[in-house]
Amino acid sequence: MARFLLTRTLSTLFTFWLIVTVVFFLMRLAPGGPFDGERRLPPEVETNLRAAYNLDKSLPQQYIDYLGMLGRGDLGPSFRQKDFSVNELVATGLPVSLTIGGLALFIAITLGITVGLKAGLAPGSRSDMLLMGVTNVGIAMPTIIVAPLFILIFGVALGWLPTGGLGGFTHYILPPIALALPFTAAIARLTRGSVVETLSEPHLTTARAKGLTERMIIRRHILPIALLPVVSYLGPAAAALLTGSVVIEQVFELPGIGRYFVQGALNRDYTLVMGVVVVYAALILLFNLLVDLAYARMDPRIRLQP
Amino acid sequence: MIRSVVTSALFDTRLARICSLILGAIVLLAWLGPLFSGWKFDEIDWDALESPPSATHWFGTDFIGRDLFVRSMLGARVSLGIALVATVVSVLVGIPWGAVAGYLGGRTDQLMMRFVDMLYAVPFVLIVILLVVIFGRNPYLLFMALGAIFWLDIARIVRGQTLRLRTQPFIAAARLLGVSTPAIVLRHVVPNVMGPALVYATLTIPGVILAESFISFLGLGIQEPDTSWGVLIADGTQTMESSPWTLIFPGVLLAMTIWCTNMLGDRLRDRMEAATGYTRASGRRVQEGRVPGGRALGGRRT
């Protein structure tokens, strides 16, 4: 286990370093400087600006400086929003994004497992067919369609919920649900599949023979096995959830880091885009690591690997 | 064998036939539809600004009076075209990578596949957006970048197949005859993994379409006056309160295409596995989860 932990952590760190390096050099490849505005700047001003943004040094030196800055948790200044550092922008946006993403993940896991278990325990039944039909559609509905439709139906036509922006509790209903929808469907299908597979395992016969209640059998002998693929799906799901939240934030006009990311991309605010990619990558890698460790804890086949 | 697997997967149940029919119709309409309509994709009908569907404008018009049917079909061309090109790119990269890793084995294999494993953790749509920001909004770049994302799955599958092929007698025979390693890979391994690799490649199509629409939706992909489903849905979102059809038509087209390609792709894969007795090259883990949006949205298939 210790060895597994060590190699996974090291490879995560290595991947992170790789992403940061690629992102850094891509940014420096960008044609045109960040200060090419409508008007040509006087050369002295430009020199000063380059110095202020640390662009006057040699490329390797800039790279080392950037790594050093990241090491201190500093993402640098924003090129376009002159009064803000990327850290400040991320700090204002991250709570919103994490709230929406966290809620969506919670919905997807609880609802997805419940539905999948219900369908999987009675494969071929009417409710199984119905639920799987629904998830089949849910999985193909892209967020860019679901989110506007939700606004149109629940916000505009029915007027039940706010159509966007920050606010009270009601503002946190539609966005997480819209975001969670495809993942709920995916988790439900995954759970169903592995529950059905687990049902034919011989140890269930043993469990029944020794007189366990169905409830106990589900809890002790089906779920722990059936949930393994769901756990391993959570890593990729979290990554996709983060990307999906970029759309959700855009459509529901929520000031999360996804919106800064899109704004930065449209304004060519290099440092902001770079900073957000680094933050996203860090979050995703961290989550993947946690998921892998959880998986290893749950599955002795991996834990006990030499 | 491949041909019979494909025909049975595409046509042998009612659902499969309906899906094939829908996809066929969308492709045909995208190709020929605009010829029948008489409107151009950037032509403005001043008498019908934001008008609902009618005999002259089958899908209605958008907020500046452009025919939505023609634009949806043009969008279909772009979305499907990108899916095709990106899939070809992913096959061109994935097959050699997987075949070389699988055939050489040992340390090289480990290194190459570890690299693939690592790339699985990279949030790719973000990287694509980064590329778009840096190099400008060039559609060709988008094709290439998306293709470069999707090769990972193909590489894994091809490697798995190659590992099985490597032990076959005809490969040993080729080696005994003194055929060089590159020639064995090229002449004996690649043709034999082609079928399965192409079947798996169909599974990347919905992922690519989704990724493209996502990027265009954010205003970072295809630019006006050109269009794609993502652009149309973004426009539709702006005007959906007064003219819901601007959202609904492209939205339904996109959802249907993704649903059908997903379904047919899954069927193809299942049939392929049943026919070849081959199970997923799953790396470390046993089961596979489908990630909505697949690789593009940062998901990894394990």
Side-chain angles (χ1 to χ4, degrees):
Chain A
M1 187 67 190
R3 198 192 141 101
F4 178 76
L5 188 82
L6 191 70
T7 51
R8 279 298 289 121
T9 312
L10 282 181
S11 93
T12 299
L13 283 176
F14 183 71
T15 312
F16 184 65
W17 169 78
L18 202 72
I19 293 174
V20 168
T21 306
V22 167
V23 166
F24 176 85
F25 284 103
L26 275 179
M27 280 302 175
R28 290 301 178 269
L29 274 179
F35 315 112
D36 298 345
E38 304 277 304
R39 214 150 40 95
R40 247 199 106 64
L41 292 167
E44 309 84 47
V45 176
E46 199 172 323
T47 315
N48 280 339
L49 271 175
R50 294 183 78 83
Y53 285 100
N54 202 18
L55 291 170
D56 54 343
K57 303 214 182 84
S58 70
L59 199 59
Q61 188 58 45
Q62 284 182 35
Y63 174 61
I64 292 169
D65 287 351
Y66 186 71
L67 287 186
M69 263 166 58
L70 277 186
R72 278 175 271 123
D74 184 359
L75 296 167
S78 160
F79 273 156
R80 296 283 154 161
Q81 308 197 36
K82 298 270 150 65
D83 297 337
F84 294 95
S85 71
V86 176
N87 280 50
E88 285 166 333
L89 292 174
V90 167
T92 57
L94 203 55
V96 179
S97 300
L98 287 184
T99 312
I100 302 289
L103 283 173
L105 201 59
F106 176 74
I107 295 171
I109 293 174
T110 47
L111 194 64
I113 291 178
T114 316
V115 168
L117 191 63
K118 173 120 186 66
L121 285 177
S125 69
R126 188 170 284 247
S127 66
D128 176 33
M129 296 296 204
L130 185 74
L131 289 173
M132 284 308 109
V134 171
T135 57
N136 214 340
V137 174
I139 218 166
M141 288 295 274
T143 318
I144 61 171
I145 301 174
V146 172
L149 273 185
F150 270 25
I151 293 182
L152 196 59
I153 296 170
F154 300 104
V156 179
L158 298 172
W160 290 348
L161 291 164
T163 55
L166 275 186
F169 161 72
T170 50
H171 290 255
Y172 288 99
I173 298 178
L174 281 187
I177 294 181
L179 183 55
L181 201 68
F183 303 99
T184 315
I187 289 180
R189 293 185 74 80
L190 212 54
T191 310
R192 178 196 177 271
S194 61
V195 166
V196 170
E197 223 168 88
T198 315
L199 283 182
S200 59
E201 297 272 339
H203 76 272
L204 289 190
T205 319
T206 314
R208 287 214 178 83
K210 68 183 185 188
L212 284 187
T213 59
E214 266 320 286
R215 245 182 108 80
M216 274 310 252
I217 290 178
I218 292 173
R219 211 163 54 195
R220 286 273 183 78
H221 296 287
I222 295 181
L223 275 184
I225 298 176
L227 289 188
L228 282 177
V230 177
V231 172
S232 74
Y233 167 74
L234 287 182
L241 215 63
L242 264 179
T243 335
S245 76
V246 174
V247 168
I248 294 289
E249 285 168 21
Q250 194 76 359
V251 176
F252 287 96
E253 289 171 349
L254 294 163
I257 50 175
R259 280 203 92 195
Y260 288 127
F261 182 63
V262 176
Q263 272 169 17
L266 289 169
N267 298 332
R268 317 196 83 184
D269 188 339
Y270 293 162
T271 42
L272 180 57
V273 172
M274 190 163 154
V276 175
V277 171
V278 168
V279 171
Y280 272 143
L283 283 176
I284 289 170
L285 289 175
L286 186 68
F287 199 84
N288 270 320
L289 183 64
L290 292 179
V291 165
D292 273 0
L293 295 182
Y295 192 90
R297 264 203 72 75
M298 285 172 70
D299 188 346
R301 281 173 304 181
I302 288 187
R303 187 168 66 228
L304 300 177
Q305 241 173 31
Chain B
M1 193 233 6
I2 296 283
R3 184 170 302 165
S4 72
V5 167
V6 171
T7 31
S8 82
L10 293 186
F11 298 111
D12 70 352
T13 65
R14 194 166 50 173
L15 201 58
R17 275 199 293 273
I18 291 174
C19 269
S20 303
L21 202 71
I22 289 175
L23 281 182
I26 289 175
V27 170
L28 210 65
L29 274 176
W31 186 25
L32 299 172
L35 298 178
F36 295 117
S37 158
W39 295 97
K40 282 208 207 62
F41 74 95
D42 55 354
E43 189 181 352
I44 294 169
D45 183 355
W46 294 101
D47 299 324
L49 299 182
E50 226 177 327
S51 76
S54 65
T56 38
H57 297 288
W58 300 335
F59 284 6
T61 59
D62 68 2
F63 65 109
I64 55 168
R66 293 175 299 192
D67 185 80
L68 199 61
F69 172 74
V70 175
R71 289 184 73 71
S72 295
M73 290 310 138
L74 188 80
R77 278 187 200 176
V78 172
S79 296
L80 297 175
I82 289 184
L84 216 62
V85 175
T87 304
V88 169
V89 172
S90 71
V91 167
L92 287 182
V93 181
I95 289 186
W97 192 277
V100 168
Y103 186 75
L104 293 181
R107 193 138 271 222
T108 324
D109 177 35
Q110 256 181 18
L111 214 67
M112 288 173 86
M113 291 331 276
R114 184 46 62 87
F115 181 68
V116 169
D117 278 345
M118 241 158 38
L119 287 188
Y120 268 103
V122 175
F124 269 109
V125 163
L126 306 184
I127 302 287
V128 171
I129 289 178
L130 204 72
L131 286 174
V132 169
V133 171
I134 295 166
F135 296 108
R137 294 166 199 158
N138 180 342
Y140 294 104
L141 183 78
L142 204 60
F143 296 156
M144 293 302 160
L146 286 174
I149 293 171
F150 284 91
W151 66 272
L152 299 175
D153 287 330
I154 313 247
R156 274 197 174 172
I157 280 128
V158 168
R159 172 180 172 270
Q161 292 274 350
T162 310
L163 284 180
R164 275 165 28 106
L165 275 176
R166 201 164 60 146
T167 55
Q168 302 272 319
F170 75 93
I171 299 274
R175 217 178 293 152
L176 273 179
L177 285 171
V179 181
S180 69
T181 309
I184 293 183
V185 172
L186 216 62
R187 299 261 294 279
H188 299 288
V189 175
V190 169
N192 279 299
V193 295
M194 210 64 170
L198 289 182
V199 166
Y200 276 84
T202 58
L203 279 171
T204 68
I205 291 177
V208 180
I209 295 179
L210 208 56
E212 185 278 325
S213 67
F214 171 88
I215 292 166
S216 293
F217 179 84
L218 296 176
L220 295 164
I222 305 293
Q223 299 291 308
E224 291 281 350
D226 283 330
T227 196
S228 78
W229 285 336
V231 175
L232 289 172
I233 291 169
D235 287 350
T237 306
Q238 298 299 317
T239 54
M240 65 184 176
E241 287 173 37
S242 53
S243 48
W245 60 88
T246 53
L247 173 66
I248 289 167
F249 282 112
V252 167
L253 279 172
L254 176 64
M256 272 195 330
T257 308
I258 288 175
W259 188 68
C260 288
T261 41
N262 256 341
M263 233 245 347
L264 293 177
D266 276 352
R267 289 173 59 83
L268 270 173
R269 184 188 56 194
D270 291 348
R271 292 306 160 84
M272 195 70 205
E273 280 169 4
T276 58
Y278 166 72
T279 47
R280 266 147 246 182
S282 57
R284 283 173 293 151
R285 287 173 190 148
V286 195
Q287 244 100 11
E288 172 170 2
R290 138 145 302 163
V291 182
R295 295 260 47 265
L297 304 187
R300 91 190 134 146
R301 277 166 169 278
T302 41

